[in-house]
Amino acid sequence: MIKSLFLKVSIISFFIISNLFVGIAHATFYTSGQIITNDYVKELNVSAHETETRSVQFNNDGTKMFITGDRHLNLKDVHEFSLSTPFDISTATHVVTIEINEVVRTMQIKFNNDGSKMFLAGRLPNKVFEYSLSTNFDISTATYSGNVIDVSAQITEDLFGFEFNNDGTMMYISDTQNNGTSTEKIYQYSLSKSFDFSSGATLVRSVDLEALHDTTNPARGEREPAGMHFTKDGLRLFVVGTQGNDVNQYTLSESFNIATASFDGGIRRGGNPTGIAFNNSGLSMFITGTSDLIREYKMPCPFSLFVSKCKSINDGDRIGMAEAQINIAKKTIEYSTSAALNRLQWIRRNKDLQDLSFQNIKFNFSNEMLASLSEAILISTKPRKKDKNKVKDIFYWSEGSLAYTKVQETDISSKKRIFTDGITIGVDSFTEDKGIKGLAFRYSQNDVLVGTTNKLDTDTYNLTYYSTTPVKNESKFLDTVLGVGFLNTKTSNIIDSIDGDRFGEQIYGTLKLKDEIKKDNLTLIPAGQIDLGFTVLRSYSESGIGATRFDQQSIQSRNLRLSIASVEELNNKKFKMKRHGKMEYQANLDRSSKMKYSYIGDSQSKFETKLKSGALHNINSKLGFDVIYDENLSLFFILEHNYAHKVGYTGKVHFAIGYLPQKNTNLSFKIEGDDILKSKYIYSKNIDGLDIEFYLMNNDVMRPKTFDEIAINLKKVF
């Protein structure tokens, strides 16, 4: 598929997102608040491997699922499944089953953060066992370490569930009965080493969950707590149990301190729930029970059963998606500015060969208004004869660019990979004071992958005015850039099926003062530069369960740059070549932006999150070549690398072709049509009476990525 005539190729990927709804199960809620759905949206039958599931866990990216049970052929089994789509239980395929000899019945399974250790809670005896995995999250490589925590002093009946805090220095055990007395306690233990049982565990505290419940409520909570799950920040706890068939939600005022827990409410569902897990975003909840089913429920907002208890976004993927929008806005300004500056630099390096960028571009419109505008442009830009003192010629140019940006993972944000391809078309001329002024239009596509399952696609359109003016003789110049832009962003979360469409506008400017120090064939160019930009991202609402409404967002750009560039002439008999490079220090002075939002299901609660993008200290380097061949063809190439301290890097390629048509040669780009605009690129040449014509036709310019017709015509008159 051909995207443009300037050697620009793009691969378009289409993602088909499906959601499978199987069965209906009713659930009863016994607290105030509104929930998106009280029915499960998916279920997985695992009866071929387990008839009474006890727990469910996933690996970090959701491509593996693990379950335990104590009612099938073997009461000591642990099962591993692979998921072709992360966290989509409908795509699960059984991989392996292992037998745990240290217990009579397996109950709960947990892993450390990187999956190099597995922990199992067992009934008979009431102990938690530690296993080492030679391959992370591969239970077939599990080896018993010999380390175990005996909790029988607190759990005299059945051990059902346990949990860790984030760093593995705390362990939590749920209690079903104590000395024959019905209780619903959770015990908290400290570990001297992270996720390591070798030094034992020390009891810190216990909390009676029943004391936290509303005694006037007919369903006061679970008397036989089983599985547990803490959110990443440790400020929310979920507990499921088999007596009340409950999923209970608690909020903690101090991270991972169960003594600070308060009861938010719960949901009553059938099936005697014993295990609970969430996907990374917290919008999907997975429940196991005393059956052969695993069921998925949708949350109204991350890690909350109730819209009245929604909290600010802390999921790394969602934060990463928001940061990516800031990143693209700033990169768009930077790329549009650099394209204009690259043009000015090329003319300065090849000031006697600017004709090589002339491309004979023509616009033909059948629409009267567009035709009038086109005619006015042609009249205003029609080349004039040169005289000794004035140069009035108009020159056209183009530049393509490809960029890859990688932003590493942070404590609050997932990693980001950004692919950007763009094309710039411009027109300029010399001024009477030996300066240059011009206008450039740039179109680009930005494809962003956040984490592994979140996508962001942005089309940008920028119009940039640029000029350079001699400050002192012809060695010192002041470059000026002013521009406006438009952004159209589409967001998609494949796992949670949340989509959005957002628009934005931007304005920006740059001042660059540079000096040229020449010595023989080498020119050194020290320069200082200041960049200012302002972007407004319009308010928009996502669609899907757990969707969010975002307010208008402002993004500021402020950069100070100091650089030293060099140009060296390397000429021979066949062509002229100039090698050039640059080293630049960039201080990014404005790296934060406030994001204000609310959840669709809870318009009353407003949240605000301060986002950061980029690094304060940046080192940019460039290496490029200009090749002038036979005085009618020029090639332009730049390889650029941008390093953002402790954040990531960007690799970028700029390329362009300049061509001066010879006699009997025509190069044109036509746009025509009334309601639907059509475009046609034509290259024709006459060689000894033979007419050769090559053309590309697009029947709708609103589809700039495709061409509907490609042809080569040959004609000879005898």
Side-chain angles (χ1 to χ4, degrees):
M1 194 181 301
I2 301 174
K3 183 175 180 180
S4 89
L5 57 101
F6 300 103
L7 305 180
K8 186 165 181 277
V9 179
S10 177
I11 300 175
I12 305 173
S13 300
F14 295 91
F15 291 84
I16 301 175
I17 306 172
S18 61
N19 197 1
L20 178 63
F21 293 85
V22 184
I24 297 293
H26 186 69
T28 301
F29 301 86
Y30 55 90
T31 191
S32 61
Q34 179 185 359
I35 193 164
I36 294 293
T37 177
N38 59 0
D39 301 322
Y40 69 85
V41 296
K42 294 181 185 178
E43 72 175 9
L44 175 67
N45 190 310
V46 294
S47 58
H49 312 285
E50 189 58 64
T51 57
E52 189 164 307
T53 56
R54 291 300 185 183
S55 68
V56 58
Q57 290 293 308
F58 297 88
N59 67 339
N60 295 335
D61 62 7
T63 57
K64 287 188 175 184
M65 180 180 69
F66 309 87
I67 64 171
T68 61
D70 64 351
R71 277 291 186 269
H72 200 50
L73 300 177
N74 194 324
L75 307 183
K76 308 177 180 181
D77 289 345
V78 180
H79 310 274
E80 177 183 323
F81 296 79
S82 66
L83 280 66
S84 58
T85 301
F87 295 104
D88 186 348
I89 59 176
S90 67
T91 67
T93 302
H94 182 258
V95 176
V96 67
T97 296
I98 63 171
E99 180 180 339
I100 304 300
N101 296 319
E102 288 72 35
V103 299
V104 175
R105 303 169 75 176
T106 57
M107 300 304 293
Q108 296 284 320
I109 181 174
K110 301 288 181 180
F111 295 88
N112 67 341
N113 294 333
D114 64 2
S116 61
K117 286 187 177 183
M118 176 179 71
F119 302 87
L120 285 170
R123 295 172 67 182
L124 305 174
N126 288 330
K127 298 178 179 180
V128 185
F129 299 86
E130 175 189 316
Y131 299 81
S132 298
L133 279 63
S134 58
T135 302
N136 295 359
F137 292 109
D138 184 352
I139 64 172
S140 66
T141 67
T143 304
Y144 179 45
S145 66
N147 300 328
V148 61
I149 301 295
D150 190 343
V151 295
S152 57
Q154 290 79 39
I155 312 298
T156 59
E157 295 292 332
D158 296 328
L159 170 58
F160 268 84
F162 77 106
E163 175 68 296
F164 292 101
N165 66 345
N166 279 344
D167 62 8
T169 58
M170 291 289 176
M171 182 178 69
Y172 306 81
I173 301 291
S174 61
D175 183 16
T176 57
Q177 289 185 339
N178 187 7
N179 297 324
T181 303
S182 177
T183 65
E184 45 188 14
K185 285 186 177 182
I186 292 180
Y187 295 90
Q188 180 178 343
Y189 304 79
S190 66
L191 304 176
S192 57
K193 297 181 181 179
S194 177
F195 294 107
D196 191 334
F197 289 175
S198 61
S199 299
T202 303
L203 179 64
V204 176
R205 62 175 61 89
S206 67
V207 172
D208 188 349
L209 297 181
E210 185 176 5
L212 303 178
H213 298 170
D214 182 5
T215 57
T216 64
N217 197 310
R220 294 178 295 165
E222 183 56 56
R223 291 179 178 268
E224 292 188 1
M228 295 179 287
H229 182 90
F230 279 105
T231 56
K232 188 177 181 180
D233 59 8
L235 297 177
R236 182 152 288 168
L237 170 66
F238 296 87
V239 180
V240 297
T242 59
Q243 187 183 84
N245 298 330
D246 302 328
V247 182
N248 299 285
Q249 177 176 306
Y250 303 85
T251 295
L252 286 69
S253 59
E254 182 181 334
S255 182
F256 294 105
N257 184 354
I258 58 175
T260 66
S262 60
F263 182 53
D264 296 333
I267 167 180
R268 173 165 292 175
R269 62 166 303 273
N272 295 323
T274 57
I276 182 172
F278 291 83
N279 69 346
N280 291 339
S281 68
L283 293 174
S284 290
M285 177 177 66
F286 303 88
I287 300 294
T288 61
T290 55
S291 68
D292 52 14
L293 300 175
I294 301 171
R295 285 171 172 163
E296 176 187 353
Y297 295 81
K298 289 298 185 181
M299 311 290 278
C301 53
F303 297 104
S304 181
L305 298 171
F306 316 101
V307 294
S308 59
K309 299 295 181 179
C310 290
K311 300 170 65 177
S312 61
I313 295 175
N314 59 11
D315 173 58
D317 286 354
R318 298 298 303 276
I319 294 294
M321 291 284 283
E323 290 181 347
Q325 296 184 50
I326 300 174
N327 192 295
I328 289 177
K330 292 189 173 186
K331 289 291 186 182
T332 297
I333 292 176
E334 179 181 341
Y335 294 164
S336 299
T337 300
S338 66
L341 294 177
N342 285 342
R343 170 61 177 173
L344 294 175
Q345 292 161 8
W346 188 92
I347 292 178
R348 290 299 304 163
R349 294 192 302 266
N350 306 278
K351 53 187 174 181
D352 297 325
L353 299 166
Q354 65 273 3
D355 285 353
L356 294 178
S357 63
F358 185 78
Q359 294 177 359
N360 191 27
I361 299 178
K362 301 176 181 178
F363 298 92
N364 299 316
F365 298 95
S366 56
N367 180 283
E368 293 184 2
M369 182 178 297
L370 295 178
S372 299
L373 179 61
S374 174
E375 183 65 22
I377 294 174
L378 288 174
I379 293 174
S380 64
T381 61
K382 185 178 180 181
R384 300 174 176 88
K385 293 183 178 181
K386 301 178 183 179
D387 60 35
K388 296 181 180 181
N389 301 317
K390 298 181 181 181
V391 180
K392 297 289 187 179
D393 295 285
I394 303 297
F395 304 103
Y396 301 91
W397 60 277
S398 65
E399 176 191 301
S401 64
L402 302 172
Y404 170 72
T405 301
K406 183 177 181 180
V407 182
Q408 63 190 26
E409 183 180 13
T410 67
D411 292 338
I412 63 170
S413 176
S414 300
K415 63 182 179 182
K416 293 173 280 290
R417 286 164 288 177
I418 307 173
F419 303 87
T420 302
D421 53 79
I423 184 169
T424 305
I425 299 176
V427 57
D428 51 42
S429 67
F430 285 89
T431 61
E432 295 181 358
D433 60 354
K434 297 183 180 180
I436 301 165
K437 62 180 180 181
L439 199 65
F441 173 79
R442 185 175 190 274
Y443 167 74
S444 72
Q445 286 184 307
N446 302 267
D447 301 320
V448 185
L449 181 63
V450 179
T452 58
T453 59
N454 297 269
K455 284 178 56 60
L456 187 149
D457 299 317
T458 300
D459 291 337
T460 66
Y461 309 83
N462 291 79
L463 186 64
T464 304
Y465 167 83
Y466 57 93
S467 68
T468 185
T469 304
V471 177
K472 185 178 180 181
N473 53 58
E474 292 190 31
S475 65
K476 293 181 174 62
F477 286 83
L478 178 64
D479 295 343
T480 303
V481 176
L482 297 172
V484 294
F486 174 78
L487 302 89
N488 182 14
T489 298
K490 298 183 182 297
T491 63
S492 65
N493 182 307
I494 298 177
I495 300 301
D496 297 311
S497 299
I498 298 175
D499 302 300
D501 198 351
R502 192 175 202 179
F503 300 94
E505 298 85 31
Q506 56 188 190
I507 184 171
Y508 50 92
T510 289
L511 290 176
K512 182 177 182 180
L513 182 63
K514 58 188 179 182
D515 191 8
E516 296 182 356
I517 305 172
K518 297 182 179 181
K519 186 176 180 180
D520 299 327
N521 291 334
L522 181 66
T523 302
L524 296 178
I525 309 172
Q529 180 176 330
I530 181 171
D531 306 316
L532 299 174
F534 184 77
T535 302
V536 174
L537 299 179
R538 298 300 180 185
S539 60
Y540 81 110
S541 297
E542 298 174 326
S543 60
I545 295 177
T548 309
R549 181 183 294 107
F550 294 88
D551 293 348
Q552 181 173 291
Q553 183 178 355
S554 300
I555 302 169
Q556 294 183 356
S557 301
R558 289 185 299 151
N559 297 298
L560 293 178
R561 303 172 189 259
L562 295 174
S563 65
I564 180 72
S566 64
V567 181
E568 184 180 12
E569 296 184 11
L570 303 171
N571 302 330
N572 63 26
K573 296 180 179 180
K574 295 184 178 180
F575 58 85
K576 299 179 181 179
M577 185 174 75
K578 293 185 179 176
R579 178 173 58 193
H580 49 92
K582 184 174 76 170
M583 290 295 297
E584 178 184 74
Y585 168 77
Q586 172 191 349
N588 184 357
L589 302 180
D590 207 328
R591 304 180 306 281
S592 63
S593 176
K594 292 182 179 180
M595 177 180 67
K596 298 180 180 180
Y597 57 96
S598 62
Y599 293 99
I600 300 297
D602 182 16
S603 59
Q604 300 301 316
S605 301
K606 295 286 187 176
F607 303 96
E608 182 177 300
T609 300
K610 189 174 183 180
L611 303 173
K612 287 189 176 182
S613 178
L616 173 61
H617 304 293
N618 304 266
I619 300 295
N620 307 324
S621 59
K622 286 185 178 181
L623 178 64
F625 298 90
D626 299 338
V627 180
I628 312 299
Y629 181 77
D630 198 26
E631 296 190 356
N632 72 325
L633 178 67
S634 68
L635 302 177
F636 165 85
F637 177 83
I638 292 179
L639 182 63
E640 183 175 354
H641 186 271
N642 310 119
Y643 169 71
H645 182 57
K646 295 184 178 181
V647 173
Y649 65 87
T650 298
K652 188 165 58 169
V653 176
H654 305 265
F655 52 90
I657 297 177
Y659 179 69
L660 180 64
Q662 297 177 331
K663 187 178 180 181
N664 299 324
T665 302
N666 185 52
L667 178 66
S668 67
F669 179 74
K670 299 181 179 180
I671 299 179
E672 57 186 8
D674 291 308
D675 298 329
I676 299 178
L677 298 180
K678 302 177 181 180
S679 67
K680 189 174 185 180
Y681 164 71
I682 305 170
Y683 176 86
S684 61
K685 187 175 183 67
N686 183 280
I687 303 176
D688 297 329
L690 176 64
D691 292 325
I692 304 175
E693 183 183 77
F694 169 75
Y695 74 86
L696 306 171
M697 181 176 291
N698 182 346
N699 291 327
D700 186 357
V701 296
M702 300 306 294
R703 299 184 291 108
K705 306 170 186 176
T706 61
F707 281 93
D708 299 288
E709 187 176 350
I710 305 174
I712 298 177
N713 298 322
L714 303 176
K715 183 172 68 175
K716 177 74 173 180
V717 180
F718 297 94

